[in-house]
Amino acid sequence: MRSVRNPLYAGDYRKCRGFRPVIGGTSAIMVAFLTLIGPMPAQAAGDDGFDASDVDDSTANDDIDQSQAALKGQAGTSGGLTVEGLVLRRSDIETVPLTAPNAPAAAYTLVDSTVLEGKDYAPGVRVSLQAEVLGQGIEFSAFYLNPISLEGMRLGFGSSTTDTAYYLPLKNAGSIADMATSNSHNTYGLIAHHETKLYGAEANLAQPLGIPGLIVGARAIYFGEHLTTTSIRRSVDTPPSASGNSQRDHAGVRMDNQLVGVQLGLQHMFDVGDAMRIGGSVKGGLYSNFVDRNRTVNSENRVDRSWEGSDHDRVFAQGVEINPRIEFKLAEGTYLTAAGQFLWLNNVGTAVPHYDTIGVPENHDVRAKDDVFFYGGSLGMTIALDQSSPTSNSLPNFPSAVPSMLNASGDDIDERVAELEESTARKGNSGVSLTISGWINRMVMAWDDGVKKDVYVVDNVASRSRVNFDGAVQIARGWSAGYLLSLGLDDTASNDVSQLTAQGDNQIEVRHSAWWLRNSQLGTVTLGLTSTATDNIILKDVGGIMPGAANMATIGGGFFLRRADYYGQGDSGLIISGAYTTPLNDIIAGASVDTLRRNVIRYDAPRLSGQWGNVDLSAAWGEDDFYDVALEHGINYDDWKFRFGAGFLRDLDEGSGGGHRDRREYKGSASLLHIPTGLFGTVAYVHRTFDGQNDSNQVTFGENVVIEYDASRPNRPPTDYLYSAFGLRRQYWSIGDTSVYGEYGQVNDAIQGMREAGLRAVFDSSVSMFGAAICQDIDDAGMDLYAGVRIYSFDTQGLQYRNSSSSPLAPAPLSDLMFGYAGSRIKF
């Protein structure tokens, strides 16, 4: 898959809905590796300070800087960064009938899976980072293939001759037998859509125990298929007709294979002269395959006709990958790479053979016994990073997003006030300084919801563009005062756009408007519109991940969920119908799980500093009985850098419709960096409970469940939100640190008990996010560059909105949402 001068390698990784096995495996690898590093000599170090901006962290203290300088004097480690464009083709899809005669002797129109046409290949991207840590070569690699989509349509079957292939089982299906007389019987035409998904990641050790050419590692691969059909009863019902009584049935079968396991292989590159290298890799893996099968039937014109079922299995699977490769030297340390790729997966489940079982509820045989084959090639570039250093701790100290004096010692306050008083931007009261700062954060965002795709240019509101007016004045020794006015700038916010609009609100938002009074012995009091105690408490990070990454819904939160079993219906497949409307924001616990700014009185206690690090305590109260408290801790200890924050809030705001809100949140985050290796991990968690009284059907104001969920209308169950990132942060270039990392997020029960996701009542909901990203600091320019991809998968079940409240529970198949983004934040 990849190579540099030192043979290191990788290949694939992906997610699954509720991909807990991957997270467990990743955590185990991280723990094992850190254990291998072993304990370091104990030496206390001071904290580098809490910069309360969205994510920025300050430089380390002098001890850490000296340690870093010593490390930089050592011999450089070997490594490389490879970025490739990828094209893969899938081998033939099995031929299976999609229609059947409506009687044994009747002539009918045969339609099978060969009607599916289109390009059986798709582009993708593969990124790999190779490094040498403590003398051991390692490689992290991930790839993503754009879905391979095939489509077909056959019309004019005639009357009373042709049924869908799943019709015959339905005729004897007991309580759903009436569906056999619906639009799947005596059909006029059939529309079919097939989609293949493939992506993955891996982590390998190169030449373990000094064995030349050997690679050993862990790998995760996601392979999925989705076959959906729309059967049309009459010619007038042919899409784009979308009348309320359209006589169309939607049927689908989806297979998800989540392969997690280990692999062993050989890899090497041979020099051919001074300008070319030839070689490649061969890898074989043994995996545990977690297989999910979901089957659905829904009728547009009959509210009583729908059936859905989900089955699961776990089998052992095998995989073999061969990657021949040739590299041409363009310049010292830079190579043009061309490679082939051949990937075979065995004991996986495919969707097409299950099409005729859609109408057989009692069939639970997942039959994960198929094999698939992909082949293709890639073209890209490898940049050798032979002089990489451990992380430089060089994140610059840019102006804060909240009052800059809040988390500093008395000496720091005096020094900062002196700096501000030297500012030249002065108007009005010349005794009070004025500093103007901020940043612009714009990015390109691509999206794909399974049917539609597009690219937008947006403001990244994970760390919103802003202008800050920050001032301070020293009143007397130990006493100071100041203010902060901060304006957020949104041309097109990344959580405002959706499938239906590429436009934003073009708003200028007042983020902060507050004054503060500080005594170095007593603490700081702030009054006005500003951050509460728990604002930014989930954003602790020392790994250099994209600013605000832990607040997941800020990128694409306005996009609507799509029914996975509605093909050929355009926007009618989106869940945008009245009380059932569900954007990503709803199922992921809100547009922001970070605490929103308010009009409050906030108190920050003097910082407690010592050999064990720095501790900051704060509390806030305001705006209709809102209050919160928070604790933050940071320490640099020998070769480790650690940040932690935790808090509690209670929100008693009034809701809609005369009800009231009573929400409590326990939230926090922690981040740990091992400076010599650059390995880091960041975790954020939120637990939200509901104790108010509001009968709203949706999550924005709803405190009680809908009546179909529980006639007594108790409060909603708690919501749990988890975000994690694990990766490597090192200084490969003198311009600043580079962070390469994978992300995993899981949100449970965010819409449970509500009327969301197209369901009359949601009885269970979860969303899993898998992502990968790279961030590059450019210290001298006050700039960071970032690029990444995120994929969201959904699991929901409840009462179908087409059914009566007495209907059995059934899964609601929802299409994955994929976002790719690349942008920059430049500060001033």
Side-chain angles (χ1 to χ4, degrees):
M1 308 237 338
R2 212 72 25 115
S3 92
V4 289
R5 256 186 275 229
N6 275 5
L8 311 168
Y9 240 69
D12 315 1
Y13 172 63
R14 179 35 204 164
K15 58 122 212 234
C16 71
R17 297 181 295 173
F19 209 47
R20 298 180 180 90
V22 173
I23 299 310
T26 303
S27 301
I29 293 171
M30 291 288 294
V31 172
F33 193 80
L34 293 177
T35 303
L36 180 64
I37 292 171
M40 302 296 177
Q43 177 184 347
D47 191 16
D48 66 352
F50 288 89
D51 185 350
S53 63
D54 280 9
V55 169
D56 288 337
D57 208 347
S58 306
T59 57
N61 66 2
D62 293 339
D63 292 339
I64 293 298
D65 291 339
Q66 293 170 7
S67 173
Q68 291 301 99
L71 286 168
K72 291 179 183 178
Q74 299 174 2
T77 57
S78 297
L81 176 67
T82 303
V83 179
E84 297 172 292
L86 178 69
V87 176
L88 288 183
R89 181 186 297 273
R90 181 181 169 177
S91 60
D92 294 339
I93 297 174
E94 184 176 355
T95 300
V96 169
L98 304 180
T99 60
N102 61 15
Y108 75 104
T109 303
L110 172 63
V111 179
D112 58 32
S113 52
T114 59
V115 73
L116 298 168
E117 297 178 348
K119 298 176 180 178
D120 55 359
Y121 60 89
V125 64
R126 184 167 54 195
V127 179
S128 178
L129 177 70
Q130 306 90 20
E132 193 171 288
V133 178
L134 299 181
Q136 173 62 61
I138 60 173
E139 181 178 83
F140 302 98
S141 181
F143 81 100
Y144 175 81
L145 187 70
N146 209 46
I148 299 174
S149 297
L150 302 174
E151 302 171 2
M153 180 171 67
R154 292 288 300 275
L155 301 175
F157 291 172
S159 60
S160 66
T161 58
T162 306
D163 300 331
T164 59
Y166 57 82
Y167 158 74
L168 290 176
L170 281 173
K171 286 199 295 188
N172 299 308
S175 62
I176 59 172
D178 185 47
M179 291 179 59
T181 63
S182 67
N183 312 312
S184 301
H185 176 57
N186 293 341
T187 59
Y188 166 77
L190 190 72
I191 301 174
H193 176 78
H194 182 277
E195 191 169 83
T196 300
K197 294 183 179 181
L198 181 71
Y199 32 81
E202 61 185 287
N204 292 311
L205 300 179
Q207 301 187 58
L209 304 177
I211 303 174
L214 180 66
I215 52 174
V216 179
R219 190 173 194 180
I221 300 174
Y222 172 84
F223 162 68
E225 274 193 359
H226 194 188
L227 174 65
T228 57
T229 64
T230 298
S231 57
I232 306 166
R233 186 68 177 270
R234 307 169 303 178
S235 62
V236 296
D237 298 313
T238 304
S241 168
S243 61
N245 61 351
S246 294
Q247 296 186 25
R248 295 189 292 242
D249 286 349
H250 304 278
V253 55
R254 172 173 174 165
M255 299 294 295
D256 296 298
N257 299 268
Q258 301 118 25
L259 290 78
V260 184
V262 296
Q263 65 180 4
L264 182 70
L266 297 173
Q267 173 180 278
H268 194 69
M269 296 298 294
F270 299 91
D271 291 330
V272 181
D274 296 331
M276 187 170 67
R277 302 188 299 199
I278 295 177
S281 66
V282 178
K283 295 177 286 188
L286 180 64
Y287 309 101
S288 180
N289 184 11
F290 300 85
V291 189
D292 297 322
R293 179 183 69 171
N294 180 244
R295 298 171 295 161
T296 65
V297 182
N298 289 290
S299 181
E300 289 190 42
N301 64 315
R302 286 288 299 270
V303 297
D304 57 339
R305 290 175 178 146
S306 72
W307 179 83
E308 305 190 29
S310 187
D311 300 291
H312 314 278
D313 198 2
R314 187 177 71 172
V315 299
F316 282 107
Q318 304 84 40
V320 175
E321 184 172 21
I322 302 174
N323 295 104
R325 175 177 294 272
I326 184 170
E327 300 181 349
F328 300 94
K329 186 176 181 180
L330 300 177
E332 188 62 36
T334 304
Y335 291 83
L336 176 68
T337 67
Q341 178 164 334
F342 305 90
L343 176 63
W344 174 72
L345 300 175
N346 187 43
N347 271 7
V348 295
T350 58
V352 177
H354 291 272
Y355 183 73
D356 61 357
T357 74
I358 290 176
V360 188
E362 62 272 16
N363 182 311
H364 300 290
D365 184 8
V366 174
R367 301 200 314 267
K369 301 176 181 178
D370 300 320
D371 67 319
V372 294
F373 181 61
F374 295 87
Y375 59 96
S378 61
L379 184 66
M381 183 173 293
T382 293
I383 301 174
L385 307 171
D386 292 337
Q387 299 300 318
S388 65
S389 302
T391 172
S392 66
N393 275 322
S394 59
L395 283 178
N397 226 345
F398 290 106
S400 300
V402 298
S404 55
M405 310 296 184
L406 290 184
N407 294 310
S409 66
D411 292 339
D412 293 337
I413 286 289
D414 294 339
E415 181 179 350
R416 176 63 176 147
V417 170
E419 292 175 357
L420 290 172
E421 288 177 343
E422 294 176 359
S423 302
T424 58
R426 300 193 179 204
K427 283 286 186 181
N429 184 358
S430 60
V432 180
S433 64
L434 170 63
T435 297
I436 301 175
S437 63
W439 57 71
I440 301 298
N441 192 354
R442 298 279 286 178
M443 70 178 183
V444 175
M445 183 176 74
W447 58 271
D448 185 340
D449 70 355
V451 173
K452 289 187 172 184
K453 60 188 70 174
D454 207 339
V455 179
Y456 298 156
V457 177
V458 298
D459 293 278
N460 184 355
V461 294
S463 181
R464 169 175 281 140
S465 299
R466 67 199 60 185
V467 177
N468 299 328
F469 302 89
D470 193 5
V473 63
Q474 186 168 353
I475 302 173
R477 181 168 180 79
W479 286 90
S480 56
Y483 63 91
L484 175 65
L485 174 63
S486 179
L487 304 178
L489 310 175
D490 285 341
D491 172 33
T492 305
S494 55
N495 61 352
D496 283 346
V497 295
S498 69
Q499 296 97 325
L500 304 180
T501 179
Q503 305 301 316
D505 294 335
N506 299 315
Q507 64 180 354
I508 298 178
E509 176 194 31
V510 178
R511 303 179 66 254
H512 296 269
S513 179
W515 59 259
W516 53 267
L517 179 66
R518 171 76 178 244
N519 179 273
S520 58
Q521 302 299 317
L522 301 177
T524 304
V525 174
T526 306
L527 178 65
L529 173 63
T530 190
S531 294
T532 71
T534 55
D535 187 17
N536 298 314
I537 205 71
I538 66 165
L539 302 181
K540 296 297 176 186
D541 173 65
V542 291
I545 65 176
M546 185 191 72
N551 202 9
M552 294 186 288
T554 51
I555 296 181
F559 279 77
F560 298 102
L561 305 188
R562 177 180 290 278
R563 293 280 309 204
D565 53 351
Y566 265 45
Y567 176 69
Q569 305 305 297
D571 291 341
S572 66
L574 297 175
I575 302 177
I576 52 177
S577 175
Y580 303 99
T581 299
T582 305
L584 179 63
N585 280 337
D586 287 0
I587 201 170
I588 209 169
S592 175
V593 293
D594 192 18
T595 309
L596 299 177
R597 294 171 295 277
R598 295 169 177 266
N599 283 299
V600 294
I601 300 173
R602 169 172 168 161
Y603 171 71
D604 290 85
R607 170 172 286 176
L608 304 175
S609 297
Q611 188 176 10
W612 28 262
N614 292 340
V615 175
D616 292 287
L617 301 171
S618 55
W621 174 89
E623 252 188 28
D624 205 0
D625 296 325
F626 169 94
Y627 61 87
D628 64 352
V629 294
L631 176 149
E632 301 175 67
H633 174 250
I635 187 171
N636 297 343
Y637 188 79
D638 278 352
D639 294 326
W640 299 90
K641 187 175 183 181
F642 176 70
R643 299 294 177 271
F644 169 79
F648 168 80
L649 69 83
R650 189 176 184 188
D651 182 359
L652 293 164
D653 283 356
E654 294 182 0
S656 64
H660 69 277
R661 173 182 296 174
D662 187 354
R663 299 186 179 182
R664 299 170 183 172
E665 291 185 5
Y666 305 84
K667 60 203 312 181
S669 59
S671 187
L672 179 67
L673 170 70
H674 184 245
I675 296 172
T677 64
L679 290 170
F680 71 88
T682 296
V683 177
Y685 175 74
V686 178
H687 178 75
R688 179 183 297 163
T689 64
F690 305 87
D691 299 289
Q693 177 61 47
N694 194 295
D695 295 338
S696 173
N697 290 326
Q698 292 206 291
V699 300
T700 305
F701 295 106
E703 294 286 312
N704 303 105
V705 299
V706 297
I707 196 168
E708 292 86 354
Y709 184 89
D710 191 316
S712 64
R713 283 191 178 273
N715 289 111
R716 291 165 54 187
T719 296
D720 291 293
Y721 178 105
L722 171 70
Y723 171 85
S724 61
F726 300 92
L728 186 67
R729 176 181 173 186
R730 297 178 69 84
Q731 190 177 36
Y732 294 107
W733 299 279
S734 61
I735 60 175
D737 291 343
T738 305
S739 297
V740 180
Y741 58 95
E743 301 176 289
Y744 176 79
Q746 179 84 29
V747 184
N748 294 325
D749 303 327
I751 59 173
Q752 185 172 341
M754 298 288 100
R755 188 160 292 159
E756 298 260 10
L759 295 170
R760 192 177 185 88
V762 178
F763 276 76
D764 187 34
S765 76
S766 68
V767 55
S768 299
M769 182 277 291
F770 168 79
I774 181 170
C775 293
Q776 175 64 55
D777 298 330
I778 304 178
D779 295 339
D780 290 342
M783 188 176 187
D784 41 55
L785 306 175
Y786 54 85
V789 62
R790 285 180 171 179
I791 302 169
Y792 293 87
S793 290
F794 311 96
D795 274 328
T796 59
Q797 73 167 3
L799 300 177
Q800 288 290 332
Y801 72 88
R802 302 171 183 80
N803 298 356
S804 66
S805 60
S806 62
S807 300
L809 299 182
L814 302 171
S815 294
D816 292 353
L817 265 175
M818 188 274 285
F819 299 98
Y821 57 89
S824 175
R825 184 178 66 157
I826 184 167
K827 302 136 187 168
F828 56 86

